Amino acid sequence: MKESDIHINRVDWIAVSIYFALVIIGWFNIYATVYDSQLDQSIFDLSINSGKQLVRIGVALGLIMVIMVADYRFFENLSLVIYIIFLLILIVTPVLGKEVNGQILSIGFGEFRIQPGEFAKFATALALAKVMERPTFDLSKKQYQLIAFSVLLIPVVLILLQPDTGTAMVYFSLLVMFYREGLPQWYYILGLGMIAITLLGLGIENNLYLVGAIVLITAALIFLGRKSWQRALVFSMIAIGLIAYIYSIDFVVSKLPPHQQNRIMVLFNPDLDPLGVGWNVTQSKIAIGSGGLLGKGYLEGTQTKFDFVPEQHTDFIFCTLGEEFGWIGSLVVIGLFSGLLYRLVIMAERQKTRFSRIYGYGVISILLFHFMINIAMTIGLFPVVGIPLPFFSYGGSSLWSFTVLLFIFIKFDSSRATQLGRIS
């Protein structure tokens, strides 16, 4: 490998620096969740989560080195092969995987286990970039929409079979990338409308109120356009469809596992079961609120120290930050995530090939979704669905998959001059 092939001078060090800042801050917060002043364990102690995470950070550094010295064309040329490999792994996961809380999410040997659903994210982003890179690929046309949605939905279906609703939801974040590449706006208007109707259907205790409102609005629209029977028919069909959808929501929710039903109920009624299903979110909000402006100080968080928040080192790691570093500390971390996303947008827009740009927006979509949903979970604005905070939450699969996702794009960006020579 020639030194010129590595493109060290063209690496976006701003994005790299933000990555390491988030990883290091996350590591210190993981230590805070397990710290016990009586035991006086070091942050480097391999018997506790912070020490284990340090080993995983070391593995992440190894992955970064491999990605950065590899030829960028390796990931481009084998993108569909990588995608198919992870689809096959997802297929065998329910058979060979380890069951935890009714879900089969990980496979591996002994202590070394990975969650294929996490790694399949970057594989799906690569596959979409490959199938959409052709100049003739036009997302405004139905046949190309079918191809793109098929690539997106296959891993979603396989992950739902585990079942892992939270991870499956992440894949729909790639619709942000679809928007950049020309998917018609009416898809998003329809999607937002369906989300609004779903929230209303779940939030309003008696569906008759919502159905009555739809009937009244439809009657008014028909009356205003009474000279057109075609318009009246369209309005009536839409109203019937909406009413059928509203009553189907309860049916779909009833088919979810009990713990997911409870999480949805708690979202709309936080006081429903504060000592049961609402405990996590309630304690998380207490932890964040008690931090105030400047926080209680590192390793001084009482909610953290006395383990009031379950899963605080993984899905609820943000509440540790809020309690010990307060509003200012939370703002710094949110600023780092926002800065990274902004930087990635700049990087995506300066790519010389459509493949790199599409993959770049895939990275942005996935990181944005995780960032927003995880924080929304900790403050009670979204149901608890097991979405980790990128580079921050405890866990090997989470850290490694996000690292691979990000640094493949950083590699593409550092090689853009070579790509320009290739396509010129």
Side-chain angles (χ1 to χ4, degrees), residues 15-28:
V16 173
S17 299
I18 296 175
Y19 163 83
F20 280 108
L22 290 170
V23 169
I24 292 170
I25 296 172
W27 179 50
F28 276 100

Side-chain angles (χ1 to χ4, degrees), residues 50-72:
S50 60
K52 295 175 182 177
Q53 189 70 1
L54 182 60
V55 174
R56 290 161 177 162
I57 292 172
V59 174
L61 291 175
L63 291 172
I64 292 171
M65 293 178 63
V66 170
I67 292 170
M68 296 309 294
V69 300
D71 191 323
Y72 75 93

Side-chain angles (χ1 to χ4, degrees), residues 119-372:
F119 288 91
K121 295 171 189 174
F122 88 85
T124 302
L126 282 173
L128 284 169
K130 190 64 178 177
V131 300
M132 294 171 60
E133 70 171 343
R134 300 191 307 274
T136 56
F137 198 97
D138 185 357
L139 274 179
S140 66
K141 298 179 179 178
K142 292 292 189 293
Q143 64 267 34
Y144 296 112
Q145 293 171 12
L146 179 61
I147 295 172
F149 279 113
S150 297
V151 174
L152 174 64
L153 291 175
I154 292 173
V156 171
V157 172
L158 294 176
I159 291 170
L160 286 174
L161 293 176
Q162 297 181 0
D164 185 4
T165 307
T167 301
M169 287 174 56
V170 176
Y171 287 78
F172 290 102
S173 68
L174 291 167
L175 292 174
V176 174
M177 177 267 286
F178 283 10
Y179 181 79
R180 170 61 180 83
E181 296 305 317
L183 187 67
Q185 292 184 1
W186 71 264
Y187 278 96
Y188 300 91
I189 296 173
L190 177 62
L192 291 173
M194 298 297 284
I195 291 172
I197 293 294
T198 301
L199 293 175
L200 287 171
L202 292 171
I204 297 176
E205 189 170 345
N206 191 338
N207 284 335
L208 289 177
Y209 293 115
L210 186 56
V211 170
I214 292 173
V215 171
L216 289 175
I217 293 172
T218 304
L221 291 172
I222 292 174
F223 177 77
L224 292 174
R226 58 186 180 276
K227 293 182 179 179
S228 173
W229 67 269
Q230 295 96 334
R231 188 176 301 175
L233 180 61
V234 170
F235 288 150
S236 299
M237 294 300 294
I238 293 174
I240 293 171
L242 287 175
I243 293 171
Y245 177 72
I246 290 168
Y247 281 103
S248 71
I249 293 173
D250 290 336
F251 174 78
V252 172
V253 171
S254 68
K255 297 301 180 182
L256 294 174
H259 69 280
Q260 293 183 354
Q261 295 182 39
N262 292 333
R263 289 170 178 175
I264 293 173
M265 292 168 61
V266 168
L267 176 67
F268 293 97
N269 188 358
D271 300 323
L272 179 66
D273 188 9
L275 300 180
V277 295
W279 176 265
N280 286 31
V281 175
T282 300
Q283 296 302 318
S284 175
K285 291 192 289 186
I286 291 173
I288 294 172
S290 66
L293 180 63
L294 299 176
K296 298 176 181 177
Y298 186 54
L299 304 181
E300 297 299 327
T302 53
Q303 295 292 112
T304 298
K305 188 180 298 184
F306 297 111
D307 296 327
F308 279 103
V309 185
E311 305 300 329
Q312 191 164 353
H313 58 300
T314 53
D315 299 341
F316 285 86
I317 190 70
F318 186 78
C319 72
T320 304
L321 178 76
E323 181 180 24
E324 299 194 344
F325 295 96
W327 184 83
I328 295 298
S330 300
L331 184 63
V332 169
V333 170
I334 290 173
L336 286 172
F337 273 109
S338 301
L340 177 61
L341 291 168
Y342 177 72
R343 191 65 191 173
L344 292 176
V345 170
I346 293 175
M347 293 164 61
E349 289 296 333
R350 72 187 182 193
Q351 296 308 298
K352 307 303 180 182
T353 67
R354 193 178 183 191
F355 176 89
S356 297
R357 185 187 72 230
I358 293 172
Y359 179 75
Y361 272 99
V363 175
I364 294 165
S365 303
I366 293 170
L367 292 180
L368 175 64
F369 185 89
H370 270 270
F371 164 59
M372 293 179 61

